Amino acid sequence: MRVPDPVGVLLVEDDAVIRRSVQLALERYGYEVDVTGDGLDGLEAFRAGAHDVLILDVMLPGLDGISLCRRVREESLTPILMMSARGDALDVVAGLEAGADDYVVKPVDIPVLVARIRSLLRRATFHRAPAPEPALEPAQDGRAPDGRAPDVPDGPASPQGLPTAPAPSSPDLLVFGNLTLDLRGLEVHLDRQPVPLTPTELRLLLAFAENPGAVLDRRRLLRDVWDYGWEGDTRVVDLCVVRLRKKIGADRIETVRGFGYKLVRG
């Protein structure tokens, strides 16, 4: 099955045989693939082109894949897929901590690789339906039971002149303490300041926000956020939660040992 519209992929892999075989396989699926075998060249290619997905090997000359991933994340939210030999635990953890969205193990199974790319693209381009109206009976703290805020006057602008969160007066806004989610604009604000999230981090946060206070286990999150229709590595969930906590507050997502995670309401 070919992709309906051309999708640009940047493949950075130092092994010429693997690089060529993966490139040809992806092109047969309809992807437009740029390739390079060096980390520094990969960074230049990323900055020079408009790619929808990056596929990075861990071991690269010039600039290793983990460092390349980190450099890209400093500049862009483009989905990143790491390739790791034998699924080495240290490589996987380091790549996910650096900002990668997912990983595949070498030798690469092309159908699995294509499925992961499609999943990354769905996460990066998904659209939400309009949020339902809030409940008529507010909770004791003035919010609806699902965390939606009541109508209030617009607040003051940020003294630094930075973009600030809109006043929580719309049913499309979810408010959890100092954290605000704009469901229509797909924006997140912490203390009224914008929080840049990767597509995967945003979908993970939305999964928690749609189930406030409920414990979500890792398998469910793999299915709902990563679109895994098969058994996946739950480490991708754990490391994405770590990254999300760094951005929205460590105490906002609570670990329920032996079960999963939940979003703290207050």
Side-chain angles (χ1 to χ4, degrees):
M1 178 179 177
R2 294 173 64 86
V3 294
D5 297 307
V7 172
V9 175
L10 175 60
L11 170 64
V12 187
E13 163 63 60
D14 66 322
D15 187 301
V17 174
I18 296 176
R19 185 170 65 244
R20 184 59 175 164
S21 63
V22 172
Q23 178 186 13
L24 291 175
L26 292 180
E27 288 176 345
R28 284 196 293 270
Y29 277 89
Y31 294 97
E32 295 182 350
V33 185
D34 293 330
V35 299
T36 182
D38 179 276
L40 290 175
D41 291 342
L43 183 60
E44 291 184 8
F46 160 73
R47 289 172 171 169
H51 301 97
D52 300 292
V53 177
L54 275 60
I55 303 175
L56 311 180
D57 186 26
V58 172
M59 302 299 294
L60 293 170
L63 183 69
D64 67 85
I66 305 300
S67 299
L68 175 56
C69 177
R70 190 173 293 111
R71 295 278 290 275
V72 170
R73 268 296 163 260
E74 293 173 353
E75 306 175 19
S76 171
L77 300 179
T78 302
I80 298 175
L81 186 69
M82 302 296 298
M83 292 197 301
S84 170
R86 301 179 305 280
D88 183 270
L90 292 178
D91 288 348
V92 170
V93 171
L96 295 172
E97 286 182 337
D101 296 279
D102 207 343
Y103 77 96
V104 292
V105 176
K106 294 195 295 185
V108 178
D109 185 312
I110 295 300
V112 171
L113 175 61
V114 170
R116 298 289 176 86
I117 292 174
R118 289 173 177 165
S119 177
L120 287 176
L121 293 172
R122 284 194 295 270
R123 280 178 248 162
T125 60
F126 80 105
H127 298 281
R128 291 180 49 85
E133 293 295 323
L136 295 177
E137 295 296 330
Q140 292 183 354
D141 63 356
R143 296 193 181 95
D146 63 355
R148 301 183 193 278
D151 290 353
V152 296
D154 289 348
S158 166
Q160 292 83 9
L162 298 173
T164 60
S169 59
S170 166
D172 294 322
L173 296 180
L174 295 180
V175 179
F176 302 93
N178 61 344
L179 180 69
T180 304
L181 286 74
D182 181 348
L183 300 181
R184 185 175 296 276
L186 296 177
E187 296 177 346
V188 178
H189 291 79
L190 183 68
D191 293 325
R192 300 184 65 81
Q193 302 305 312
V195 179
L197 298 179
T198 68
T200 302
E201 292 164 354
L202 177 58
R203 285 198 53 164
L204 180 61
L205 179 57
L206 287 171
F208 286 126
E210 290 170 347
N211 302 273
V215 177
L216 305 182
D217 66 69
R218 293 169 176 83
R219 297 297 176 188
R220 174 177 174 177
L221 291 170
L222 277 175
R223 182 185 68 244
D224 294 349
V225 177
W226 278 262
D227 292 327
Y228 278 14
W230 61 91
E231 290 295 308
D233 189 344
T234 58
R235 287 177 296 183
V236 299
V237 176
D238 296 332
L239 272 299
C240 193
V241 167
V242 170
R243 297 204 316 262
L244 188 57
R245 281 172 168 161
K246 291 179 180 178
K247 295 183 178 182
I248 68 171
D251 58 350
R252 183 58 58 190
I253 299 176
E254 178 181 328
T255 300
V256 181
R257 295 193 179 279
F259 293 93
Y261 302 98
K262 68 177 181 179
L263 182 68
V264 178
R265 291 175 180 267

Coordinates of all heavy atoms in Angstrom, one line a residue, residues 102-190:
D102 N 10.0 7.0 18.9 CA 9.9 5.5 18.8 C 11.2 4.9 18.3 O 12.1 5.7 18.0 CB 8.7 5.1 17.9 CG 8.1 3.8 18.3 OD1 8.8 3.0 19.0 OD2 7.0 3.5 17.8
Y103 N 11.3 3.6 18.2 CA 12.5 3.0 17.7 C 12.2 1.7 17.0 O 11.1 1.1 17.3 CB 13.5 2.8 18.8 CG 13.2 1.6 19.7 CD1 13.9 0.4 19.5 CD2 12.3 1.7 20.8 CE1 13.6 -0.7 20.3 CE2 12.1 0.6 21.6 CZ 12.7 -0.6 21.3 OH 12.4 -1.7 22.1
V104 N 13.1 1.2 16.2 CA 13.0 -0.1 15.6 C 14.3 -0.8 15.7 O 15.4 -0.1 15.9 CB 12.6 0.0 14.1 CG1 11.2 0.5 13.9 CG2 13.6 0.8 13.3
V105 N 14.3 -2.1 15.7 CA 15.5 -2.9 15.9 C 16.1 -3.3 14.6 O 15.3 -3.7 13.6 CB 15.2 -4.1 16.8 CG1 16.4 -5.0 16.9 CG2 14.7 -3.7 18.1
K106 N 17.4 -3.3 14.4 CA 18.0 -3.8 13.2 C 18.4 -5.3 13.5 O 18.8 -5.6 14.6 CB 19.3 -3.0 12.9 CG 19.0 -1.5 12.5 CD 20.2 -0.9 11.8 CE 21.3 -0.7 12.8 NZ 22.4 0.1 12.2
P107 N 18.4 -6.1 12.4 CA 18.0 -5.8 11.0 C 16.5 -5.4 10.9 O 15.7 -5.9 11.6 CB 18.3 -7.1 10.3 CG 18.2 -8.2 11.3 CD 18.7 -7.6 12.6
V108 N 16.3 -4.4 10.1 CA 15.0 -3.7 10.0 C 14.0 -4.6 9.3 O 14.2 -5.1 8.2 CB 15.1 -2.3 9.3 CG1 13.7 -1.7 9.2 CG2 16.1 -1.4 10.1
D109 N 12.8 -4.8 9.9 CA 11.7 -5.4 9.3 C 10.9 -4.3 8.6 O 10.3 -3.5 9.3 CB 10.8 -6.2 10.3 CG 9.7 -6.9 9.7 OD1 9.0 -6.4 8.9 OD2 9.5 -8.1 10.1
I110 N 10.9 -4.3 7.3 CA 10.3 -3.2 6.5 C 8.8 -3.0 6.9 O 8.4 -1.8 7.1 CB 10.5 -3.3 5.0 CG1 12.0 -3.3 4.7 CG2 9.8 -2.2 4.3 CD1 12.7 -2.0 5.2
P111 N 8.0 -4.0 6.9 CA 6.6 -3.7 7.2 C 6.4 -3.1 8.6 O 5.6 -2.2 8.8 CB 6.0 -5.1 7.2 CG 6.8 -5.9 6.2 CD 8.2 -5.4 6.4
V112 N 7.3 -3.5 9.6 CA 7.2 -2.9 10.9 C 7.7 -1.4 10.8 O 7.0 -0.5 11.4 CB 8.1 -3.7 11.9 CG1 8.2 -2.9 13.2 CG2 7.5 -5.1 12.2
L113 N 8.7 -1.2 10.1 CA 9.2 0.2 9.9 C 8.1 1.1 9.3 O 7.9 2.2 9.8 CB 10.5 0.2 9.1 CG 11.1 1.6 8.7 CD1 11.5 2.3 10.0 CD2 12.2 1.4 7.8
V114 N 7.5 0.6 8.3 CA 6.4 1.4 7.6 C 5.3 1.6 8.6 O 4.7 2.7 8.6 CB 6.0 0.7 6.3 CG1 4.7 1.3 5.7 CG2 7.1 0.6 5.3
A115 N 4.9 0.6 9.3 CA 3.8 0.8 10.3 C 4.2 1.8 11.3 O 3.4 2.7 11.7 CB 3.5 -0.6 11.0
R116 N 5.5 1.8 11.8 CA 5.9 2.8 12.8 C 5.9 4.2 12.1 O 5.5 5.2 12.8 CB 7.3 2.5 13.3 CG 7.4 1.2 14.0 CD 6.7 1.2 15.3 NE 6.7 -0.1 16.0 CZ 7.7 -0.6 16.7 NH1 8.8 0.2 17.0 NH2 7.6 -1.8 17.3
I117 N 6.3 4.4 10.9 CA 6.3 5.7 10.2 C 4.8 6.2 10.1 O 4.5 7.3 10.4 CB 6.9 5.6 8.8 CG1 8.4 5.3 9.0 CG2 6.7 6.9 8.0 CD1 9.1 5.1 7.6
R118 N 3.9 5.3 9.7 CA 2.5 5.7 9.6 C 2.0 6.1 10.9 O 1.2 7.1 11.0 CB 1.7 4.6 9.0 CG 2.0 4.3 7.5 CD 1.3 3.1 7.0 NE 1.5 2.8 5.6 CZ 1.3 1.7 5.0 NH1 0.8 0.7 5.7 NH2 1.5 1.6 3.7
S119 N 2.3 5.4 12.0 CA 1.9 5.8 13.3 C 2.4 7.2 13.7 O 1.7 8.0 14.2 CB 2.3 4.7 14.3 OG 2.0 5.1 15.6
L120 N 3.7 7.4 13.4 CA 4.3 8.8 13.7 C 3.5 9.9 13.0 O 3.2 10.9 13.5 CB 5.7 8.8 13.4 CG 6.7 8.0 14.3 CD1 8.1 8.0 13.7 CD2 6.6 8.5 15.7
L121 N 3.2 9.6 11.7 CA 2.5 10.6 10.9 C 1.1 10.9 11.4 O 0.7 12.0 11.4 CB 2.5 10.2 9.4 CG 3.9 10.1 8.7 CD1 3.7 9.5 7.3 CD2 4.5 11.5 8.6
R122 N 0.4 9.8 11.8 CA -0.9 10.0 12.4 C -0.8 10.9 13.6 O -1.7 11.7 13.9 CB -1.6 8.7 12.7 CG -2.1 7.9 11.5 CD -3.0 6.8 11.8 NE -2.3 5.8 12.6 CZ -1.7 4.7 12.0 NH1 -1.7 4.6 10.7 NH2 -1.1 3.8 12.8
R123 N 0.2 10.6 14.5 CA 0.3 11.4 15.7 C 0.6 12.9 15.4 O 0.1 13.8 16.1 CB 1.4 10.9 16.6 CG 1.0 9.6 17.4 CD 2.2 9.1 18.2 NE 2.7 7.9 17.7 CZ 3.9 7.3 17.9 NH1 4.7 8.0 18.6 NH2 4.2 6.2 17.4
A124 N 1.3 13.1 14.3 CA 1.8 14.5 14.0 C 0.7 15.3 13.3 O 0.7 16.5 13.2 CB 3.0 14.4 13.1
T125 N -0.3 14.6 12.7 CA -1.3 15.3 11.9 C -2.7 15.1 12.3 O -3.7 15.5 11.6 CB -1.2 14.8 10.4 OG1 -1.4 13.4 10.3 CG2 0.2 15.1 9.8
F126 N -2.9 14.4 13.5 CA -4.3 14.1 13.9 C -5.1 15.4 14.2 O -4.5 16.4 14.6 CB -4.3 13.2 15.1 CG -4.1 13.9 16.4 CD1 -5.1 14.1 17.3 CD2 -2.8 14.3 16.8 CE1 -4.9 14.7 18.5 CE2 -2.6 14.9 18.0 CZ -3.7 15.1 18.9
H127 N -6.4 15.3 14.1 CA -7.3 16.4 14.4 C -8.4 15.9 15.3 O -8.9 14.8 15.2 CB -8.0 17.0 13.1 CG -7.0 17.6 12.2 ND1 -6.4 18.8 12.3 CD2 -6.5 17.0 11.0 CE1 -5.6 19.0 11.3 NE2 -5.6 18.0 10.5
R128 N -8.7 16.7 16.3 CA -9.7 16.4 17.3 C -11.1 16.9 16.8 O -11.2 18.0 16.3 CB -9.4 16.9 18.7 CG -8.2 16.2 19.3 CD -7.9 16.8 20.6 NE -9.2 16.9 21.4 CZ -9.6 15.9 22.2 NH1 -9.0 14.7 22.2 NH2 -10.7 16.0 22.9
A129 N -12.2 16.2 17.2 CA -13.5 16.7 17.0 C -13.7 17.8 18.1 O -13.1 17.8 19.1 CB -14.5 15.6 17.1
P130 N -14.7 18.7 17.9 CA -15.0 19.7 18.9 C -15.4 19.0 20.2 O -16.0 18.0 20.2 CB -16.2 20.4 18.3 CG -16.1 20.2 16.8 CD -15.5 18.9 16.6
A131 N -14.9 19.6 21.3 CA -15.1 19.0 22.6 C -16.6 19.2 23.0 O -17.3 20.1 22.6 CB -14.3 19.8 23.7
P132 N -17.1 18.2 23.8 CA -18.5 18.3 24.2 C -18.7 19.4 25.2 O -17.8 19.9 25.8 CB -18.8 16.9 24.9 CG -17.4 16.5 25.3 CD -16.5 17.0 24.3
E133 N -20.0 19.9 25.3 CA -20.3 20.9 26.3 C -20.1 20.5 27.7 O -20.2 19.3 28.0 CB -21.8 21.3 26.1 CG -22.1 22.0 24.8 CD -21.4 23.3 24.6 OE1 -21.2 24.0 25.7 OE2 -20.9 23.6 23.5
P134 N -19.7 21.4 28.6 CA -19.4 21.0 30.0 C -20.7 20.6 30.7 O -21.8 21.0 30.3 CB -18.7 22.2 30.6 CG -19.3 23.3 29.7 CD -19.4 22.8 28.3
A135 N -20.5 19.9 31.8 CA -21.7 19.6 32.6 C -22.3 20.8 33.2 O -21.7 21.8 33.5 CB -21.3 18.6 33.7
L136 N -23.7 20.8 33.4 CA -24.4 21.9 33.9 C -24.1 22.2 35.3 O -24.1 23.3 35.8 CB -25.9 21.7 33.7 CG -26.3 21.7 32.2 CD1 -27.8 21.4 32.1 CD2 -26.0 23.0 31.5
E137 N -23.9 21.1 36.1 CA -23.6 21.2 37.5 C -22.1 21.3 37.8 O -21.4 20.3 37.6 CB -24.2 20.0 38.3 CG -25.8 20.0 38.2 CD -26.4 21.2 38.9 OE1 -25.8 21.7 39.8 OE2 -27.4 21.7 38.5
P138 N -21.6 22.4 38.2 CA -20.1 22.5 38.4 C -19.7 21.7 39.7 O -20.5 21.5 40.6 CB -19.9 24.0 38.6 CG -21.2 24.5 39.1 CD -22.2 23.7 38.5
A139 N -18.4 21.4 39.7 CA -17.9 20.8 40.9 C -17.8 21.8 42.0 O -17.9 23.0 41.8 CB -16.6 20.1 40.6
Q140 N -17.4 21.4 43.2 CA -17.3 22.3 44.3 C -16.3 23.4 44.1 O -16.4 24.5 44.7 CB -17.0 21.6 45.6 CG -18.2 20.7 46.1 CD -17.9 20.0 47.4 OE1 -16.8 20.1 47.9 NE2 -18.9 19.3 47.9
D141 N -15.2 23.1 43.3 CA -14.2 24.1 43.1 C -14.5 25.1 42.0 O -13.7 25.9 41.6 CB -12.8 23.4 42.9 CG -12.8 22.6 41.6 OD1 -13.9 22.5 41.0 OD2 -11.8 22.1 41.2
G142 N -15.8 24.9 41.4 CA -16.2 25.8 40.4 C -15.9 25.3 39.0 O -16.4 25.8 38.0
R143 N -15.3 24.1 38.9 CA -15.0 23.5 37.6 C -16.0 22.4 37.4 O -16.5 21.8 38.3 CB -13.6 23.0 37.5 CG -12.5 24.1 37.6 CD -11.2 23.5 37.2 NE -10.1 24.5 37.3 CZ -9.4 24.7 38.3 NH1 -9.5 23.9 39.4 NH2 -8.4 25.6 38.3
A144 N -16.2 22.1 36.1 CA -17.0 20.9 35.8 C -16.3 19.7 36.2 O -15.0 19.7 36.4 CB -17.3 20.8 34.3
P145 N -16.9 18.5 36.4 CA -16.3 17.3 36.9 C -15.1 16.8 36.1 O -14.2 16.2 36.5 CB -17.4 16.3 36.9 CG -18.7 17.1 37.0 CD -18.4 18.4 36.3
D146 N -15.1 17.2 34.7 CA -14.0 16.7 33.9 C -12.8 17.7 33.9 O -11.9 17.5 33.1 CB -14.5 16.4 32.5 CG -15.0 17.7 31.8 OD1 -15.1 18.7 32.5 OD2 -15.4 17.6 30.6
G147 N -12.9 18.7 34.7 CA -11.8 19.7 34.7 C -12.0 20.9 33.9 O -11.1 21.8 33.9
R148 N -13.1 21.0 33.2 CA -13.3 22.2 32.4 C -13.6 23.4 33.3 O -14.2 23.3 34.4 CB -14.5 22.0 31.4 CG -14.2 20.9 30.5 CD -15.4 20.8 29.5 NE -15.3 19.5 28.8 CZ -14.5 19.3 27.7 NH1 -13.7 20.3 27.3 NH2 -14.4 18.1 27.1
A149 N -13.2 24.6 32.9 CA -13.3 25.8 33.8 C -14.5 26.6 33.4 O -15.0 26.5 32.3 CB -12.1 26.7 33.6
P150 N -15.1 27.3 34.4 CA -16.2 28.1 34.2 C -15.8 29.4 33.4 O -14.6 29.7 33.3 CB -16.7 28.4 35.6 CG -15.5 28.4 36.4 CD -14.6 27.3 35.8
D151 N -16.8 30.2 33.0 CA -16.5 31.4 32.3 C -16.0 32.4 33.3 O -16.5 32.6 34.4 CB -17.8 32.0 31.7 CG -18.3 31.2 30.5 OD1 -17.6 30.3 30.1 OD2 -19.4 31.5 30.1
V152 N -14.9 33.1 32.9 CA -14.3 34.1 33.8 C -13.8 35.2 32.8 O -13.5 35.0 31.7 CB -13.1 33.5 34.6 CG1 -13.6 32.5 35.6 CG2 -12.0 33.0 33.7
P153 N -13.6 36.4 33.3 CA -13.1 37.5 32.5 C -11.7 37.2 32.0 O -11.0 36.5 32.7 CB -13.2 38.7 33.4 CG -14.1 38.3 34.5 CD -14.0 36.9 34.7
D154 N -11.3 37.8 30.9 CA -10.0 37.6 30.4 C -9.0 38.2 31.4 O -9.2 39.2 32.1 CB -9.8 38.4 29.1 CG -10.5 37.7 28.0 OD1 -11.0 36.6 28.2 OD2 -10.6 38.4 26.9
G155 N -7.9 37.4 31.6 CA -6.8 37.8 32.5 C -5.9 38.8 31.9 O -5.9 39.1 30.7
P156 N -5.0 39.4 32.6 CA -4.0 40.3 32.1 C -3.0 39.7 31.2 O -2.8 38.5 31.3 CB -3.4 40.9 33.4 CG -3.5 39.8 34.4 CD -4.8 39.1 34.1
A157 N -2.4 40.5 30.4 CA -1.4 40.0 29.5 C -0.1 39.7 30.2 O 0.1 40.3 31.3 CB -1.1 41.0 28.3
S158 N 0.7 38.9 29.7 CA 2.0 38.6 30.3 C 2.9 39.8 30.3 O 3.0 40.5 29.3 CB 2.7 37.5 29.5 OG 4.1 37.4 29.9
P159 N 3.5 40.2 31.5 CA 4.3 41.4 31.5 C 5.5 41.3 30.6 O 6.0 42.3 30.2 CB 4.7 41.4 33.0 CG 4.6 40.0 33.5 CD 3.4 39.5 32.7
Q160 N 5.9 40.1 30.2 CA 7.1 40.0 29.4 C 6.7 40.1 27.9 O 7.5 40.1 27.0 CB 7.8 38.6 29.5 CG 8.5 38.5 30.9 CD 7.5 38.0 32.0 OE1 6.3 37.7 31.7 NE2 7.9 38.1 33.2
G161 N 5.4 40.3 27.6 CA 4.9 40.4 26.3 C 4.9 39.1 25.5 O 4.7 39.0 24.3
L162 N 5.0 37.9 26.2 CA 5.0 36.6 25.6 C 3.6 36.2 25.4 O 2.7 36.6 26.1 CB 5.8 35.6 26.5 CG 7.2 35.9 26.7 CD1 7.8 34.9 27.7 CD2 8.0 35.8 25.4
P163 N 3.4 35.2 24.4 CA 2.0 34.7 24.3 C 1.5 34.0 25.6 O 2.3 33.3 26.2 CB 2.2 33.7 23.1 CG 3.5 34.0 22.5 CD 4.3 34.6 23.5
T164 N 0.3 34.2 25.9 CA -0.2 33.7 27.1 C -1.4 32.8 26.8 O -2.0 33.0 25.7 CB -0.6 34.7 28.1 OG1 -1.6 35.6 27.5 CG2 0.6 35.6 28.5
A165 N -1.8 32.0 27.7 CA -3.0 31.1 27.5 C -4.3 32.0 27.5 O -4.4 33.0 28.2 CB -3.1 30.1 28.6
P166 N -5.3 31.6 26.7 CA -6.5 32.4 26.7 C -7.2 32.1 28.0 O -7.0 31.2 28.7 CB -7.3 31.7 25.5 CG -6.7 30.3 25.4 CD -5.3 30.5 25.7
A167 N -8.1 33.1 28.4 CA -8.8 32.9 29.6 C -9.7 31.7 29.5 O -10.3 31.4 28.5 CB -9.7 34.2 29.8
P168 N -9.8 30.9 30.6 CA -10.4 29.6 30.5 C -12.0 29.8 30.5 O -12.6 29.5 31.5 CB -10.0 28.9 31.8 CG -9.6 30.0 32.7 CD -9.1 31.1 31.9
S169 N -12.5 30.2 29.4 CA -13.9 30.5 29.3 C -14.6 29.7 28.2 O -15.8 29.9 27.9 CB -14.2 32.0 28.9 OG -13.5 32.3 27.7
S170 N -13.9 28.7 27.6 CA -14.5 27.9 26.5 C -14.6 26.5 26.9 O -13.7 25.9 27.6 CB -13.6 28.1 25.3 OG -13.8 27.1 24.3
P171 N -15.6 25.8 26.4 CA -15.7 24.3 26.6 C -14.5 23.6 26.0 O -14.3 22.4 26.2 CB -17.0 23.9 26.0 CG -17.3 25.0 25.0 CD -16.7 26.3 25.6
D172 N -13.8 24.3 25.1 CA -12.6 23.6 24.4 C -11.4 23.7 25.3 O -10.3 23.3 24.8 CB -12.3 24.3 23.1 CG -13.5 24.0 22.1 OD1 -14.0 22.9 22.1 OD2 -13.8 24.9 21.3
L173 N -11.5 24.3 26.5 CA -10.3 24.4 27.4 C -10.5 23.4 28.5 O -11.6 23.3 29.1 CB -10.2 25.8 27.9 CG -9.8 26.9 26.9 CD1 -9.7 28.2 27.6 CD2 -8.6 26.6 26.1
L174 N -9.4 22.7 28.9 CA -9.3 21.9 30.1 C -8.3 22.5 31.0 O -7.2 22.9 30.5 CB -9.0 20.4 29.7 CG -9.9 19.6 28.9 CD1 -9.4 18.2 28.7 CD2 -11.3 19.5 29.6
V175 N -8.7 22.6 32.2 CA -7.8 23.3 33.2 C -7.5 22.3 34.4 O -8.4 21.8 35.0 CB -8.4 24.6 33.7 CG1 -7.4 25.2 34.8 CG2 -8.7 25.6 32.6
F176 N -6.2 22.1 34.6 CA -5.8 21.3 35.7 C -4.8 22.1 36.5 O -3.6 22.0 36.2 CB -5.2 19.9 35.2 CG -6.1 19.1 34.4 CD1 -6.1 19.2 33.0 CD2 -7.0 18.2 35.0 CE1 -7.0 18.5 32.2 CE2 -7.9 17.5 34.2 CZ -7.9 17.6 32.8
G177 N -5.3 22.8 37.5 CA -4.4 23.7 38.3 C -3.8 24.7 37.4 O -4.5 25.5 36.8
N178 N -2.5 24.8 37.3 CA -1.8 25.8 36.5 C -1.6 25.3 35.0 O -0.9 26.0 34.3 CB -0.5 26.2 37.1 CG 0.5 25.0 37.2 OD1 0.1 23.9 37.1 ND2 1.7 25.3 37.5
L179 N -2.2 24.2 34.7 CA -2.0 23.6 33.4 C -3.3 23.7 32.6 O -4.4 23.4 33.0 CB -1.6 22.1 33.5 CG -1.4 21.3 32.2 CD1 -0.1 21.8 31.5 CD2 -1.3 19.8 32.4
T180 N -3.2 24.3 31.3 CA -4.3 24.5 30.5 C -4.1 23.9 29.2 O -3.1 24.0 28.5 CB -4.6 26.1 30.3 OG1 -4.7 26.7 31.5 CG2 -5.8 26.3 29.5
L181 N -5.1 23.1 28.7 CA -5.1 22.5 27.4 C -6.2 23.1 26.5 O -7.4 23.1 26.9 CB -5.3 21.0 27.5 CG -4.2 20.1 28.1 CD1 -4.1 20.3 29.6 CD2 -4.5 18.6 27.8
D182 N -5.8 23.6 25.4 CA -6.7 24.1 24.4 C -7.0 23.0 23.4 O -6.2 22.6 22.5 CB -6.1 25.3 23.7 CG -7.0 25.9 22.6 OD1 -8.1 25.3 22.3 OD2 -6.8 27.0 22.1
L183 N -8.2 22.3 23.5 CA -8.5 21.2 22.6 C -8.7 21.5 21.2 O -8.4 20.7 20.3 CB -9.7 20.5 23.2 CG -9.7 20.0 24.6 CD1 -11.0 19.3 25.0 CD2 -8.5 19.0 24.8
R184 N -9.1 22.7 20.9 CA -9.4 23.1 19.5 C -8.0 23.5 18.9 O -7.8 23.2 17.7 CB -10.4 24.3 19.4 CG -10.7 24.7 18.0 CD -11.8 25.7 18.0 NE -13.1 25.2 18.6 CZ -14.0 24.5 17.9 NH1 -13.8 24.2 16.6 NH2 -15.1 24.1 18.5
G185 N -7.3 24.3 19.6 CA -6.0 24.8 19.0 C -4.8 23.8 19.2 O -3.8 24.0 18.7
L186 N -5.1 22.8 20.0 CA -4.0 21.8 20.4 C -2.8 22.5 20.9 O -1.7 22.3 20.5 CB -3.7 20.9 19.2 CG -4.8 20.0 18.6 CD1 -4.4 19.3 17.4 CD2 -5.3 19.1 19.7
E187 N -3.1 23.4 21.9 CA -2.0 24.1 22.6 C -2.0 23.8 24.1 O -3.1 23.6 24.6 CB -2.1 25.6 22.3 CG -2.0 26.0 20.8 CD -2.2 27.5 20.6 OE1 -2.7 28.1 21.6 OE2 -1.9 28.0 19.5
V188 N -0.9 23.9 24.7 CA -0.7 23.6 26.1 C 0.0 24.8 26.7 O 1.0 25.3 26.2 CB 0.1 22.3 26.4 CG1 0.3 22.1 27.8 CG2 -0.6 21.1 25.7
H189 N -0.5 25.3 27.9 CA 0.1 26.4 28.6 C 0.3 26.0 30.1 O -0.6 25.3 30.6 CB -0.8 27.6 28.5 CG -0.9 28.3 27.2 ND1 -1.7 27.8 26.2 CD2 -0.2 29.3 26.6 CE1 -1.5 28.5 25.1 NE2 -0.6 29.5 25.4
L190 N 1.4 26.3 30.6 CA 1.7 26.1 32.0 C 2.0 27.5 32.6 O 2.9 28.2 32.1 CB 2.9 25.2 32.2 CG 3.3 24.9 33.6 CD1 2.3 24.0 34.2 CD2 4.7 24.2 33.6

